[in-house]
Amino acid sequence: MIPVTKTYLPDINKYKEYLNEIYETGWLTNNGDLVQRLEIELKEYLGVKNIILVANGTMALSIAYKLLGLEKEVITTPFSFVATTSSIVWEGLTPVFVDINENNYNIDADKIEEKINEHTTGIVPVHVYGNACNIEKIDTISQKHNLKVVYDASHCFGVKYKNKSILNYGDISTISFHSTKLFHTIEGGALVINDDKLYEKAKQMINFGFSKNGEIVEIGINAKMNEFQAAMGLCVLSDIDHIIEKRKQKYEYYLEKLKNNDYISFQELNKSSDINYSYLPIVFKDSETMVAILKNMNKEGIFPRRYFYPSLNKLNYINCDEVMHNSEDISERILCLPLYDSLRNIDIDKIVEIIKKSNIHSIKDSKDISMEE
Ligand SMILES: *Cc1c(COP(=O)(O)O)cnc(C)c1O
């Protein structure tokens, strides 16, 4: 079977060494030594000033909104993983969607201002598949209207924008370290916060509101990362350059094989940033073609992912009357192809062959596109 991604599992002996440490100290959670070490290593690797590790990426988003005091309406994108929207609703806020740009799949910054009103308190854009948003424009708008910006940078591990970490932009950037992400801590996530005061407040907020000297000074929640998660993170981090290099090779091999065809399109990449080879999304000419190709792949034990689908304005707990044309359209036609360090070139050959052969037939002739032998 070829899944869309395979979690990177580091050398078990390396992980066991950390487990031995945990067993010796008996310290399993509550800002332990391994969490602190991982924070230090990540700050250096990523090039950020303040990072706070938390239990998962969804919690990181929730805490970011709370920290910044967001209320009422928050402008966001309908083209993302469900957590971007669900965390907003979960915090009692109303997501106001702005459609995406049809070429780069990020929130269309030119359409943000028309959605701002007296209830708007923040903007939550997503750097989709790690591809940078129109950061300058969003920055200008947020300053003009006095809005807070939380970037959902869940896909952005190691991504640089204008030669510095993309996580440094916005009031807060959040990231996910879930097992399906490029860098992982089994489950996990982080907040990157430029403002030192806000950073100190965040440390309390993720730990029930306890201050350094053990007093409860504000309302908090339990969002702590534990030592077993941090141990996994330390192991994966020491192999990360190798993982990225491997993924880059696979990514480029795919591109070489898929170029020069007129039936799929690729995400338009921001020229001021690099990418981390987390995802390889391709968009087919229509939904029927995508579904048929997906079926043909599944028959061969290949499981790409409809990611993101559905467009989040369509969720059953969202009241959005407006059509998000580009987001709905792209979400019906996009597939993320399998991409991970141990994927073999012969697997890629097979995937590309299915895509190419499936497209030979007109999709109108048959619901289930047959493959040419
Ligand atoms: C993965 C992801 C999240 C949620 O992160 P978890 O660690 O799974 O909670 C949020 N937003 C985006 C865009 C994601 O891809």
Side-chain angles (χ1 to χ4, degrees):
M1 188 187 95
I2 305 174
V4 67
T5 192
K6 252 189 199 156
T7 299
Y8 181 80
L9 286 171
D11 177 2
I12 194 164
N13 291 317
K14 207 153 73 178
Y15 193 58
K16 279 183 182 162
E17 279 174 34
Y18 287 110
L19 293 187
N20 287 339
E21 276 187 48
I22 296 172
Y23 270 70
E24 273 162 32
T25 60
W27 193 294
L28 274 55
T29 186
N30 286 2
N31 199 27
D33 184 50
L34 299 181
V35 163
Q36 290 178 34
R37 266 151 67 185
L38 183 59
E39 280 182 351
I40 290 167
E41 289 197 18
L42 283 172
K43 270 199 272 194
E44 186 170 310
Y45 183 86
L46 298 169
V48 298
K49 187 168 68 158
N50 300 315
I51 191 166
I52 292 196
L53 297 177
V54 291
N56 60 64
T58 307
M59 268 288 182
L61 285 166
S62 280
I63 288 161
Y65 313 148
K66 271 263 171 25
L67 270 173
L68 295 167
L70 300 190
E71 300 181 297
K72 297 175 188 152
E73 294 185 4
V74 174
I75 289 174
T76 189
T77 172
F79 191 70
S80 181
F81 181 60
V82 64
T84 313
T85 288
S86 63
S87 59
I88 291 171
V89 178
W90 193 263
E91 290 302 324
L93 306 164
T94 304
V96 174
F97 294 107
V98 168
D99 202 4
I100 55 169
N101 174 287
E102 63 186 307
N103 299 313
N104 61 37
Y105 319 150
N106 286 327
I107 192 166
D108 188 342
D110 293 330
K111 293 181 182 157
I112 291 178
E113 273 195 298
E114 61 198 58
K115 293 289 178 70
I116 296 174
N117 62 39
E118 71 273 21
H119 303 303
T120 314
T121 58
I123 310 175
V124 181
V126 179
H127 302 298
V128 172
Y129 310 123
N131 185 37
C133 289
N134 189 341
I135 290 176
E136 274 78 23
K137 177 110 200 188
I138 293 170
D139 204 35
T140 308
I141 294 170
S142 65
Q143 282 179 23
K144 182 173 160 199
H145 297 274
N146 196 21
L147 303 173
K148 303 291 185 192
V149 179
V150 176
Y151 279 110
D152 181 343
S154 289
H155 300 167
C156 294
F157 191 86
V159 172
K160 296 264 196 299
Y161 179 77
K162 298 198 168 161
N163 296 319
K164 70 175 199 176
S165 172
I166 197 168
L167 300 169
N168 287 306
Y169 295 88
D171 294 283
I172 297 177
S173 282
T174 69
I175 186 163
S176 165
F177 300 149
H178 186 259
S179 314
T180 53
K181 305 296 204 270
L182 174 64
F183 166 80
H184 79 96
T185 59
I186 310 171
E187 292 266 6
L191 296 99
V192 171
I193 306 171
N194 286 318
D195 184 87
D196 292 333
K197 276 209 183 109
L198 212 53
Y199 166 67
E200 293 301 329
K201 194 172 157 66
K203 282 202 269 190
Q204 293 174 176
M205 202 178 260
I206 69 157
N207 187 30
F208 309 101
F210 280 111
S211 72
K212 269 197 196 116
N213 41 27
E215 283 167 67
I216 299 165
V217 290
E218 64 177 340
I219 184 150
I221 194 153
N222 179 3
K224 291 172 278 132
M225 177 178 280
N226 69 49
E227 292 291 273
F228 297 85
Q229 290 171 289
M232 181 58 77
L234 286 163
C235 293
V236 177
L237 189 59
S238 67
D239 295 338
I240 196 72
D241 289 335
H242 171 74
I243 298 170
I244 294 174
E245 180 53 36
K246 280 280 192 190
R247 281 173 165 272
K248 179 170 188 260
Q249 286 169 16
K250 310 296 159 193
Y251 183 97
E252 286 172 352
Y253 188 73
Y254 261 121
L255 253 46
E256 182 59 33
K257 295 259 159 181
L258 285 170
K259 71 177 184 197
N260 301 330
N261 70 72
D262 53 5
Y263 46 83
I264 57 173
S265 50
F266 296 96
Q267 184 182 29
E268 182 186 277
L269 300 178
N270 189 321
K271 290 188 181 61
S272 299
S273 70
D274 55 11
I275 55 164
N276 60 14
Y277 311 100
S278 276
Y279 300 95
L280 181 49
I282 58 173
V283 172
F284 294 92
K285 59 180 183 258
D286 51 44
S287 182
E288 289 85 345
T289 307
M290 184 278 293
V291 170
I293 285 172
L294 181 61
K295 261 198 212 164
N296 283 341
M297 285 200 196
N298 289 170
K299 268 189 231 155
E300 300 287 321
I302 299 162
F303 296 90
R305 188 168 173 204
R306 296 190 66 182
Y307 190 70
F308 307 110
Y309 175 82
S311 182
L312 299 174
N313 55 302
K314 299 285 214 178
L315 292 170
N316 65 3
Y317 53 86
I318 295 293
N319 294 312
C320 176
D321 305 330
E322 226 182 312
V323 175
M324 292 290 132
H325 180 269
N326 293 339
S327 176
E328 290 173 32
D329 177 44
I330 298 292
S331 70
E332 292 284 347
R333 296 193 282 135
I334 200 162
L335 280 185
C336 282
L337 296 181
L339 184 61
Y340 45 91
D341 62 287
S342 60
L343 184 69
R344 299 168 309 173
N345 285 356
I346 52 166
D347 299 328
I348 298 176
D349 291 341
K350 199 167 160 188
I351 292 165
V352 171
E353 195 186 4
I354 294 172
I355 295 171
K356 288 187 168 170
K357 285 190 169 171
S358 302
N359 267 282
I360 292 167
H361 297 273
S362 160
I363 51 120
K364 291 195 185 68
D365 296 342
S366 128
K367 272 265 173 291
D368 188 354
I369 298 172
S370 62
M371 275 193 287
E372 204 145 278
E373 286 311 322

